[in-house]
């Protein structure tokens, strides 16, 4: 099987293609709701983006600094990535844009992005707590800054780097722990000068401002965060063997694979290669008996979106799995720590939350299941609990399947093709 294109890379490909000179062709783009919102926003600011009949997207970019003021509010739907990256883009243009999104996005913290962008000269007027809707007026002459990100966030890092494209001189981001580096890799792919050096406490990333980005072709690999769902389903369901082709295996994204292997998973990579500056592989996974493990906080950035489905796997394992350093889960599409705990408890799983640590007591057997899960506008909570339902003693129900389309269109058809029985039920 294959899973849809990587969400992080899809947003970045649309943005950088729109800021480059010439026509870029993007294959394998994730055509999920989140990414389509970013495409619409770039279109509203003057780039030309079109999907060919073959599914390849052509983008005619306007060049750095060439975006026009959008007539309408930029509605980023459910997408934190689209929202924060686009704030960085607008910050380096002499335009004003109004940003909003769905109820989930309007609850999420944006000050973490507004703060460094203000230092670069942008002006942001936001609701209480720095929340959407907000208005952002970019800087006519953005200033390069050196910025140490206070929270591990690839979105904040990327927003500053994207704004730095419009600033003269070097913009530097220092991150205490390495987060996904798709922006750094893709900026280079489009011709920017980005250097990364290891520091005693993290990484220093420097972008040379005002480059001429050149149009480039890019093939988006499968999203490891989407692959996580069929992978865990295969591990939990006796007799399973699944091969997922062409998945991105950037080491800053594969913390879940390392953790599952430590738990005893039969999970192997084959056919490893590099394309467009990103490592890719096929993943072969077989049903395995899992044991509980300790997951260190340092690993969290490399598997930040995978905790819902890891917690599901942990519920089936032998013994306790303790996951540390989960503070950021509170500010994702939902409060994921709360949603995981509530959902697992409803399915008969014993667990404890203490500060930013989650401990799940694995029963070495399928949990009861049988619960109705509140998905809280969160696609990954929805998919994680459907996977739990596939392997639990009784099926689970989720209150909203629509959100899955933000990151994994076709999830139900694909899982049913592997033998799942996911179907709509009358409300
Ligand atoms: C993403 C970064 C992460 C991740 C999100 C995608 C990105 O968010 O959770 O799904 O594409 O940069 P944070 O930057 O908030 O950690």
């Amino acid at each position: 099987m294959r899973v849809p294109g990587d969400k992080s890379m899809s947003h970045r490909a649309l943005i950088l293609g729109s800021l480059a000179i010439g026509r870029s062709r993007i294959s394998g783009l994730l055509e999920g709701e989140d990414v389509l919102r970013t495409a619409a926003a770039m279109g509203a600011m003057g780039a030309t983006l079109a999907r060919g009949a073959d599914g390849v997207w052509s983008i005619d970019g306007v060049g750095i600094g060439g975006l026009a003021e959008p007539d309408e509010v930029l509605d980023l739907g459910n997408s934190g990535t689209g929202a924060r990256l686009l704030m960085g883009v607008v910050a380096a243009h002499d335009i004003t844009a109004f940003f909003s999104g769905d109820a989930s996005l309007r609850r999420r913290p944006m000050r973490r992005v507004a703060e460094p962008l203000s230092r670069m000269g942008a002006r942001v007027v936001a609701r209480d707590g720095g929340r959407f809707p907000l208005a952002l007026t970019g800087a006519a002459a953005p200033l390069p800054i050196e910025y140490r990100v206070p929270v591990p966030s690839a979105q904040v890092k990327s927003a500053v780097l994207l704004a730095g494209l419009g600033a003269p001189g070097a913009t530097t981001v220092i991150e205490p722990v390495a987060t996904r580096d798709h922006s750094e890799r893709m900026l280079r792919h489009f011709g920017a000068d980005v250097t990364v050096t290891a520091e005693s406490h993290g990484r220093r990333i420097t972008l040379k401002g005002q480059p001429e980005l050149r149009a480039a072709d890019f093939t988006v690999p499968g999203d490891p965060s989407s692959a996580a769902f069929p992978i865990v389903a295969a591990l939990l369901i006796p007799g399973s063997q699944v091969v997922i082709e062409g998945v991105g295996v950037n080491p800053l994204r594969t913390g879940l694979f390392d953790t599952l292997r430590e738990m005893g998973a039969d999970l192997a990579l084959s056919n490893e290669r590099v394309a467009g500056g990103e490592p890719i592989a096929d993943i072969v996974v077989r049903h395995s008996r899992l044991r509980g493990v300790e997951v260190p906080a340092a690993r969290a950035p490399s598997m930040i979106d995978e905790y819902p489905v890891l917690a599901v796997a942990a519920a089936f394992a032998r013994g306790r799995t303790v996951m540390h350093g989960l503070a950021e889960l509170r500010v994702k599409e939902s409060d994921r720590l709360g949603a995981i705990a509530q959902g697992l408890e409803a399915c008969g799983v014993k667990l404890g939350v203490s500060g930013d640590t989650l401990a799940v007591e694995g029963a070495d057997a399928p949990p009861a299941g049988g619960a109705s899960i509140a998905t809280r506008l969160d696609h990954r909570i929805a998919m994680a609990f459907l996977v739990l339902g596939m392997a639990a003693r009784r099926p689970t129900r989720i209150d909203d399947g629509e959100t899955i389309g933000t990151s994994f269109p076709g999830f139900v058809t694909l899982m049913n093709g592997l033998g799942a029985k996911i179907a709509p039920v009358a409300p």
Side-chain angles (χ1 to χ4, degrees):
M1 62 176 286
R2 282 185 175 263
V3 291
D6 188 87
K7 180 157 72 70
S8 294
M9 291 186 218
S10 294
H11 286 291
R12 287 158 172 80
L14 293 177
I15 291 171
L16 293 183
S18 297
L19 293 175
I21 301 280
R23 176 169 293 187
S24 299
R25 289 167 54 81
I26 313 298
S27 315
L29 190 84
L30 167 63
E31 292 173 334
E33 185 68 22
D34 276 14
V35 173
L36 296 178
R37 298 276 183 164
T38 291
M42 296 316 297
M45 292 190 284
T48 306
L49 305 96
R51 180 189 197 275
D54 54 359
V56 178
W57 284 66
S58 298
I59 309 173
D60 290 302
V62 295
I64 294 198
L67 293 176
E69 185 164 283
D71 289 343
E72 269 288 353
V73 173
L74 300 179
D75 181 351
L76 280 316
N78 191 247
S79 179
T81 307
R84 297 194 176 114
L85 268 51
L86 286 176
M87 285 174 67
V89 169
V90 170
H93 283 77
D94 189 11
I95 59 175
T96 295
F98 294 84
F99 288 80
S100 196
D102 72 4
S104 154
L105 191 59
R106 293 196 306 270
R107 280 193 291 268
R108 299 183 66 184
M110 296 297 163
R111 193 174 284 148
R112 51 177 63 192
V113 190
E115 208 270 317
L117 297 180
S118 303
R119 292 198 207 178
M120 299 178 84
R123 281 182 295 135
V124 180
V125 179
R127 286 172 61 227
D128 185 37
R131 291 180 159 76
F132 273 15
L134 62 73
L136 195 157
T137 300
L143 303 168
I145 59 168
E146 178 170 309
Y147 188 67
R148 185 178 288 274
V149 286
V151 283
S153 166
Q155 293 173 358
V156 175
K157 167 177 67 178
S158 301
V160 174
L161 293 175
L162 288 168
L165 285 172
T171 291
T172 297
V173 178
I174 302 157
E175 49 179 10
V177 276
T179 62
R180 65 189 68 193
D181 62 354
H182 305 307
S183 296
E184 296 90 308
R185 289 172 187 255
M186 208 180 289
L187 278 162
R188 283 200 200 104
H189 185 66
F190 279 86
D193 184 340
V194 181
T195 53
V196 180
T197 49
E199 295 217 323
S200 49
H201 296 290
R203 299 185 334 140
R204 164 181 287 265
I205 302 133
T206 299
L207 166 84
K208 212 176 185 181
Q210 300 180 335
E212 182 150 310
L213 293 185
R214 293 184 303 271
D217 293 348
F218 187 77
T219 299
V220 182
D223 195 327
S225 299
S226 296
F229 299 102
I231 286 173
V232 169
L235 287 170
L236 298 182
I237 296 165
S240 302
Q241 170 170 312
V242 174
V243 180
I244 310 176
E245 290 174 351
V247 179
V249 291
N250 181 315
L252 294 170
R253 294 289 298 282
T254 49
L256 175 74
F257 302 166
D258 300 335
T259 304
L260 291 172
R261 281 208 199 90
E262 287 172 13
M263 295 172 82
D266 180 352
L267 184 155
L269 304 189
S270 71
N271 196 12
E272 290 184 63
R273 58 227 190 247
V274 175
E278 289 280 354
I280 298 165
D282 301 340
I283 296 173
V284 186
V285 56
R286 293 184 190 84
H287 167 253
S288 307
R289 188 172 173 208
L290 302 178
R291 57 181 169 270
V293 294
E294 192 96 11
V295 190
R299 199 179 289 164
S302 69
M303 53 178 297
I304 193 67
D305 293 334
E306 280 65 80
Y307 285 101
V309 80
L310 174 64
V312 166
F316 291 74
R318 183 169 77 255
R320 175 182 300 171
T321 295
V322 186
M323 298 160 241
H324 298 282
L326 306 188
E328 278 293 301
L329 291 194
R330 296 269 188 210
V331 291
K332 292 294 174 188
E333 284 82 330
S334 69
D335 166 5
R336 281 193 180 148
L337 197 45
I340 293 169
Q342 195 185 39
L344 285 182
E345 267 169 359
C347 290
V349 179
K350 292 201 171 58
L351 57 89
V353 177
S354 152
D356 64 355
T357 295
L358 168 67
V360 175
E361 306 293 340
D364 197 19
S372 255
I373 305 297
T375 52
R376 310 180 186 203
L377 286 177
D378 191 327
H379 52 131
R380 298 200 203 282
I381 295 298
M383 290 185 277
F385 281 96
L386 289 174
V387 168
L388 185 142
M390 288 174 65
R393 294 207 298 280
R394 284 184 298 138
T396 48
R397 277 182 186 220
I398 57 168
D399 63 350
D400 178 10
E402 288 292 310
T403 57
I404 293 171
T406 62
S407 70
F408 200 153
F411 172 79
V412 169
T413 311
L414 218 136
M415 297 305 281
N416 284 348
L418 295 176
K421 293 192 191 72
I422 305 174
V425 284

